[in-house]
Amino acid sequence: MGSVQIVTTILAAAITAVAVWLAVRAVMKIVAVVRLGQPDPERFGDRGTRTKTMLAETAGHTRMLRWSVVGAAHWFVMVGFIVLSLLVLEAYFEVVSPTGGLPLIGGLAVYGLVTELIAVLGTVGIVVLIAIRVRNRPTRPGGRSRFTGSTMWQGYFVEAVVLAVLIMGFVIRGFKVATDHFEYPLWATPVSHAVGALLPDWSAGVSIAALIKIAISMTWLIVIALNVTMGVAWHRFLAFFNIFFKRDPGRAGSGLGALRPMMSQGKPLDFEEADPEKDQFGVAQVEQFTWKGLLDFSTCTECGRCQSQCPAWNTGKPLSPKLLVLSLRDHAYAKAPYLLAGGGKDLTGEEKATAAQLAHMDVLALAEAEKPLIGGAEDGGVIDPDVLWSCTTCGACVEQCPVDIEHVDHIVDMRRYQVLIESSFPSEAGVMLRNLENKGNPWGAPQNTREDWTKGLGFEVPRVGEVDDFEYLFWVGCAGAFEDRAKKTTRAVATLLNEAGVSFAILGEGETCTGDPARRIGNEFVFQMLAQQNVETLNEAFDGRDKSKRKIVATCPHCFNTLGNEYGQLGGEFEVVHHTQLLAHLVSAGRLTPVQPVDGGLTYHDPCYLGRHNRVFAAPREVLGESVAGGITEMPRNSERSFCCGAGGARMWMEEKIGKRINVDRVEEAMSTGARTIAVGCPFCSTMLNDGVNGKGAGEQVEVVDVASVLLRSLKPADAAGEKETATSGS
């Protein structure tokens, strides 16, 4: 060992020791913060499925590759980071000796080939990612980007380190080539040989270059260890755990659908026995999120995919799912010293720490602890109320997040506390909640008018209890029973089922709201009251049948989602289909045959709760494909990337006062296709898009109509005038 190697060895050992010590300390801090969260025992079940999903999403990059160029580049960088860690390890042998290398595999040509290929592709990948970050920088001309609000220096730093480490790998190999100490042939390592041809015959160069590579890598580790909220770096380690512990690993796509029930100490809250002084009602303090919530916040990589897809953000609202998560993350880590020292408020608001403990706590952490979780700028709140109430729960953020952060669940948990304990929510939503409690529907319509939509049909609509047997219970829903446009869809579906010879029955006045708007706004109490009533009614209607014969067809995706995904939490197990699914089956089976396709051009809007939340993309398109001349003209944002109409999350009953109206944005996109008809599969979407069309003054040129009505027109063109849903009717 020469003098150069002695120096490089000592320096490499010293910086590594410091970096490892700081990294261990940082990991212990992250673990301690995550453990502050509430229990969530369901996250540990079905480990086989969890492992399979985690490997598919990480090794297979199944979510990242939805953005093909970014996904491919990121995959090569990720593989490079993992595999080329061996080259960092090899550098420790090279600082000791210019001819050093990894034992066992170090001299194998296949190892040289694989690492060379990965290094080349990793270099190309990181250059692409840098270019994308620069091109989409928040300060660029043309408005906000998905990186708006991200800590940009951290992203540039991480990418620069990756690029530098890759370059230094080629430099080390190049010096080995130049000094004739390289063990791999030209065919396996052509780039390294090309670099070596440019470098001098300097044996010390290997050890010095290896030291520089180690120093760069350890500097990266030191920087992230000193910045535990640096998600752009820490996600490399935390993402595996966050994906493994996602709430529904066996569910296709994002795992959306049902909301998680209100939890207290890891158990669903029983409202009959719940006590606000002993049981947690939603989330009022950051430590009241589950440990998985705190892991979510820690894992965020600030990529902004959620932000780029969010309808609120894209229409000038203050909500960005990314910035919400980052605010919660920064607050959690700033408050952590206070919590870890024994501080915190109990459910009655009393301080847990003693005066002696408080006297020795970090003053900055104490100040952070005094911030309300929800509050305006004047209150010093962590999350502004306008941010909280801008969410439509469309799930676009969860769908796009590459590390499976559960934004919607966290937003609804915060809403629950605001509604149930603080009684703080947009005033106009109060009317809707009172109507749900008193009338069983959000419009406050009389219950005895629930069956009025059946009047004038050319056949009898049977009621449960009036017929001995039926194949499907037709869940009409509140919109389908009371809202003028939606009633036309209800009549169209009933007509089609009758035409196809499907045996069905309705509950009529026995039906009440499923509770979806109450649950999404945060009023779990009203939801459970309505849901338990409906579960009891449905169980009675299906008495004696097993689940496979407890079939429900619903025209509203919100009802469809609640009945099928959430009533199981309350003992209601049913086989629920959306009307477009049933109609697609009837068309494919030849029981409904379109004879005169609708012309004039048509585009289809995917409802969030049908598409993203429940993965029903094909069925409505199959129906429309048979019913429309020339097929469907897709909007740029469709299927899992469909843009929300603005009505979900109980936003249907809240005035949109900030920014551009979401429904107008969506209507403009639909109209840009040139289609004369906008087909929908949801009564909320129908209302919102109709209002958007009217707001654009295009009611005479563009019509919003349900998939069922499109099919009915193609079956019975002579009856089209009677079923036509003009943009102005019912408005």
Side-chain angles (χ1 to χ4, degrees):
M1 180 185 291
S3 57
V4 171
Q5 284 72 40
I6 292 172
V7 173
T8 55
T9 301
I10 292 172
L11 291 175
I15 192 171
T16 301
V18 172
V20 170
W21 177 73
L22 289 173
V24 169
R25 190 181 70 168
V27 169
M28 291 174 64
K29 181 174 182 179
I30 292 172
V31 170
V33 170
V34 170
R35 292 183 66 185
L36 287 169
Q38 300 302 304
D40 197 353
E42 293 181 358
R43 304 285 181 169
F44 296 94
D46 199 359
R47 297 188 181 186
T49 302
R50 291 185 180 280
T51 301
K52 181 180 177 181
T53 301
M54 184 269 289
L55 291 175
E57 290 193 19
T58 52
H61 256 42
T62 52
R63 294 170 74 83
M64 285 293 295
L65 285 170
R66 291 175 182 174
W67 295 30
S68 53
V69 174
V70 178
H74 190 275
W75 188 85
F76 287 122
V77 172
M78 180 199 72
V79 172
F81 177 80
I82 295 171
V83 175
L84 299 184
S85 295
L86 291 172
L87 295 185
V88 176
L89 178 61
E90 188 174 29
Y92 284 94
F93 293 90
E94 292 161 341
V95 295
V96 176
S97 169
T99 61
L102 283 178
L104 300 179
I105 63 172
L108 300 176
V110 67
Y111 171 73
L113 173 63
V114 170
T115 51
E116 183 93 347
L117 181 62
I118 291 174
V120 170
L121 294 175
T123 301
V124 173
I126 197 64
V127 169
V128 169
L129 293 181
I130 291 171
I132 289 171
R133 188 177 293 273
V134 171
R135 188 185 65 192
N136 291 284
R137 65 193 185 280
T139 56
R140 82 197 194 293
R144 300 183 293 182
S145 82
R146 66 185 176 97
F147 292 116
T148 299
S150 297
T151 313
M152 294 301 288
W153 76 263
Q154 294 180 353
Y156 289 130
F157 170 75
V158 168
E159 289 165 347
V161 165
V162 172
L163 182 60
V165 167
L166 289 167
I167 291 172
M168 291 311 300
F170 287 117
V171 172
I172 293 169
R173 286 185 164 187
F175 273 121
K176 284 189 171 183
V177 171
T179 56
D180 202 24
H181 291 139
F182 197 45
E183 58 267 64
Y184 305 113
L186 175 62
W187 65 265
T189 54
V191 177
S192 296
H193 277 82
V195 173
L198 302 174
L199 296 176
D201 181 359
W202 182 35
S203 60
V206 175
S207 296
I208 292 173
L211 173 63
I212 294 172
K213 182 173 184 175
I214 291 170
I216 293 171
S217 300
M218 293 304 108
T219 298
W220 176 81
L221 191 56
I222 289 169
V223 170
I224 72 166
L226 295 174
N227 294 272
V228 290
T229 59
M230 194 171 175
V232 70
W234 281 106
H235 85 279
R236 295 184 176 196
F237 310 106
L238 299 178
F240 299 98
F241 300 98
N242 212 53
I243 295 170
F244 181 86
F245 289 117
K246 66 187 292 186
R247 71 173 165 104
D248 197 350
R251 188 177 178 86
S254 59
L256 288 163
L259 274 176
R260 296 181 73 247
M262 276 183 66
M263 309 291 285
S264 181
Q265 293 301 310
K267 299 178 182 178
L269 194 65
D270 183 346
F271 276 93
E272 292 184 3
E273 300 178 1
D275 180 353
E277 295 188 0
K278 298 178 182 178
D279 295 300
Q280 183 178 314
F281 280 58
V283 169
Q285 303 288 336
V286 73
E287 64 271 21
Q288 291 178 351
F289 287 106
T290 66
W291 61 263
K292 174 57 168 65
L294 295 177
L295 180 59
D296 273 358
F297 309 152
S298 303
T299 307
C300 179
T301 183
E302 304 188 25
C303 67
R305 286 187 175 206
C306 58
Q307 182 170 289
S308 71
Q309 303 298 302
C310 177
W313 175 261
N314 277 286
T315 54
K317 315 292 189 293
L319 168 63
S320 155
K322 177 187 72 178
L323 297 180
L324 178 139
V325 166
L326 297 187
S327 295
L328 293 170
R329 177 199 68 189
D330 293 345
H331 174 59
Y333 279 87
K335 188 178 179 180
Y338 158 76
L339 296 170
L340 293 170
K345 302 286 198 307
D346 63 21
L347 294 172
T348 65
E350 294 296 319
E351 176 61 57
K352 297 177 184 178
T354 64
Q357 284 178 301
L358 292 173
H360 295 91
M361 284 185 186
D362 184 293
V363 292
L364 294 178
L366 282 171
E368 194 72 26
E370 292 302 313
K371 290 183 178 180
L373 190 65
I374 306 298
E378 66 280 3
D379 303 314
V382 178
I383 304 297
D384 191 277
D386 284 334
V387 169
L388 189 66
W389 297 110
S390 292
C391 180
T392 67
T393 69
C394 71
C397 49
V398 184
E399 178 73 31
Q400 292 300 325
C401 181
V403 293
D404 284 308
I405 292 171
E406 297 162 4
H407 315 73
V408 173
D409 285 340
H410 305 320
I411 288 171
V412 172
D413 271 340
M414 290 186 284
R415 285 182 171 188
R416 284 166 167 166
Y417 181 83
Q418 293 300 304
V419 173
L420 294 172
I421 303 300
E422 297 291 337
S423 295
S424 176
F425 51 88
S427 57
E428 59 268 29
V431 176
M432 177 268 291
L433 290 172
R434 286 192 295 274
N435 285 336
L436 287 179
E437 288 190 75
N438 300 327
K439 299 289 187 178
N441 68 85
W443 285 278
Q447 185 72 355
N448 60 10
T449 63
R450 264 194 186 271
E451 300 178 35
D452 284 0
W453 65 270
T454 63
K455 295 176 180 177
L457 289 174
F459 55 92
E460 279 294 318
V461 177
R463 280 75 175 165
V464 172
E466 296 178 358
V467 289
D468 294 332
D469 195 21
F470 54 89
E471 184 179 3
Y472 285 94
L473 189 151
F474 181 16
W475 185 272
V476 177
C478 299
F482 300 120
E483 205 273 331
D484 288 340
R485 281 178 288 247
K487 281 197 284 188
K488 294 179 181 178
T489 299
T490 306
R491 291 167 63 88
V493 171
T495 301
L496 290 165
L497 295 182
N498 182 69
E499 187 84 10
V502 176
S503 170
F504 71 97
I506 63 171
L507 289 172
E509 294 183 26
E511 183 180 300
T512 191
C513 180
T514 60
D516 165 84
R519 184 167 234 197
R520 265 70 195 171
I521 202 174
N523 198 324
E524 186 74 5
F525 177 79
V526 170
F527 164 74
Q528 292 212 15
M529 177 186 73
L530 295 168
Q532 287 169 354
Q533 179 181 336
N534 281 324
V535 167
E536 184 178 332
T537 301
L538 289 168
N539 283 340
E540 183 179 337
F542 289 121
D543 186 38
R545 301 191 190 191
D546 57 31
K547 183 180 177 180
S548 64
K549 294 184 178 180
R550 296 158 67 91
K551 297 180 180 179
I552 299 174
V553 58
T555 58
C556 174
H558 297 263
C559 297
F560 164 66
N561 178 69
T562 304
L563 292 166
N565 295 326
E566 298 185 339
Y567 275 16
Q569 299 169 359
L570 300 168
E573 295 290 337
F574 313 109
E575 194 73 38
V576 187
V577 297
H578 188 254
H579 72 284
T580 59
Q581 293 175 297
L582 181 54
L583 294 179
H585 167 71
L586 295 174
V587 170
S588 67
R591 295 170 68 177
L592 293 173
T593 305
V595 294
Q596 183 172 321
V598 177
D599 56 17
L602 179 145
T603 189
Y604 173 64
H605 163 78
D606 288 272
C608 301
Y609 274 80
L610 183 63
R612 259 191 303 273
H613 282 266
N614 286 284
R615 321 309 296 174
V616 179
F617 301 117
R621 288 175 168 81
E622 289 169 5
V623 175
L624 293 171
E626 295 290 333
S627 309
V628 178
I632 305 167
T633 303
E634 294 282 8
M635 288 183 256
R637 295 176 291 193
N638 64 77
S639 302
E640 70 271 0
R641 290 199 196 180
S642 179
F643 197 70
C644 182
C645 74
R651 289 292 324 174
M652 180 87 166
W653 292 274
M654 290 182 257
E655 186 60 38
E656 200 169 343
K657 301 175 182 176
I658 304 173
K660 184 179 182 181
R661 296 183 68 87
I662 294 172
N663 59 336
V664 171
D665 191 292
R666 185 57 166 169
V667 162
E668 289 174 351
E669 183 176 7
M671 291 174 63
S672 72
T673 66
R676 294 289 303 274
T677 301
I678 304 172
V680 297
C682 172
F684 289 6
C685 297
S686 176
T687 296
M688 298 300 285
L689 297 186
N690 260 304
D691 289 349
V693 167
N694 291 335
K696 297 292 293 182
E700 295 298 319
Q701 294 80 41
V702 179
E703 180 187 10
V704 180
V705 62
D706 189 87
V707 171
S709 292
V710 175
L711 176 59
L712 183 59
R713 291 179 192 181
S714 70
L715 292 178
K716 295 185 173 184
D719 295 340
E723 289 297 331
K724 189 172 183 181
E725 298 177 48
T726 62
T728 56
S729 66
S731 61

